[in-house]
Amino acid sequence: INADGLAGTNISNFYVRDLQINANSAGQNGISFNTGCSKFELQNVLVKNATLKGYSLESSKDAKLIDCHAETNTQDGFAVSTSTTDTARRVRFVNCTSTGNTQYGFGFITSTVSHQIPENCGMVGCYAIDNLTYGVSIKGMKGGEFVGNNISGSDLEGFQIGDATDVVYKAIDIVAVGNTVKNSGTTGSNRDGIRLQSTATCIINGNRCYDDQDTKTQTSGIHVNSDS
């Protein structure tokens, strides 16, 4: 599915439910809702084996995804991103699951310094399981709540908040409460449950981080970098 509201043709007030997308065409996302798409809801949607992202929400606004699933996609399971002229705002995930994707389970991403940053997006009661980089990655966002999520078996950090590689990736006013993060760093060099880099005024409270594998891989529960 590809919906693009560029050139002033805004697409809003729509609803998609009870849909499965399996193995789409080469070089395509499973679902792409881009600039100009707003006030929409997806419920009980499954995207698997997409050759790019499962769900690409670029500069979408006032969106809610409920009981949606991303499985074994070649890039991110769910990706919220921005453009040079517009940002994503108020994109919410509720009870969604992202499993076995090659990159992020859930990504909130600013691609370059010329792009704007997402604002006030979040996740409640979601699962990120066995994804091949981060379970959840916030690479640049202002405001957002992440409550009661479960993240496990990530190759790198389970929950990455901010990224020190560039100031554009700063995470500001992020709230992470009551999340469970376990068994991170299964093959990668970054092995924290939750890692904060280049962050400001974030609240991290009541999260549970542990490793119950026979061979432990998660080196620390919460790591706060010196730039946070």
Side-chain angles (χ1 to χ4, degrees), residues 30-208:
I31 289 177
S32 293
F33 292 154
N34 297 326
T35 299
C37 292
S38 64
K39 299 178 182 177
F40 62 86
E41 182 173 301
L42 277 64
Q43 184 171 6
N44 192 30
V45 176
L46 167 64
V47 178
K48 61 190 299 186
N49 302 328
T51 57
L52 295 179
K53 298 175 177 66
Y55 300 72
S56 176
L57 309 173
E58 181 184 302
S59 303
S60 294
K61 297 173 182 64
D62 297 305
K64 182 180 286 187
L65 286 76
I66 304 171
D67 295 323
C68 291
H69 307 274
E71 298 178 3
T72 58
N73 297 290
T74 303
Q75 295 184 7
D76 309 333
F78 297 89
V80 177
S81 61
T82 63
S83 69
T84 57
T85 58
D86 203 1
T87 189
R89 293 190 180 95
R90 299 175 297 277
V91 178
R92 308 287 184 182
F93 298 94
V94 179
N95 298 332
C96 295
T97 303
S98 190
T99 305
N101 301 285
T102 303
Q103 295 185 16
Y104 313 140
F106 296 83
F108 301 84
I109 305 161
T110 301
S111 299
T112 69
V113 70
S114 64
H115 283 211
Q116 300 187 37
I117 65 171
E119 298 177 6
N120 297 309
C121 301
M123 299 167 51
V124 177
C126 296
Y127 288 80
I129 303 168
D130 296 340
N131 294 289
L132 301 187
T133 58
Y134 305 99
V136 178
S137 179
I138 302 173
K139 286 194 171 183
M141 188 159 72
K142 183 176 181 180
E145 296 184 354
F146 296 77
V147 179
N149 302 292
N150 291 270
I151 305 165
S152 63
S154 307
D155 274 17
L156 301 178
E157 284 116 357
F159 193 173
Q160 179 194 43
I161 304 176
D163 191 318
T165 57
D166 197 306
V167 68
V168 71
Y169 295 142
K170 196 172 187 70
I172 304 168
D173 297 337
I174 305 300
V175 176
V177 175
N179 302 287
T180 298
V181 186
K182 71 173 187 176
N183 303 344
S184 304
T186 54
T187 63
S189 58
N190 299 326
R191 298 184 171 186
D192 306 308
I194 300 174
R195 185 179 184 91
L196 287 83
Q197 289 184 281
S198 190
T199 63
T201 57
C202 295
I203 297 173
I204 312 299
N205 186 41
N207 299 285
R208 186 182 182 212

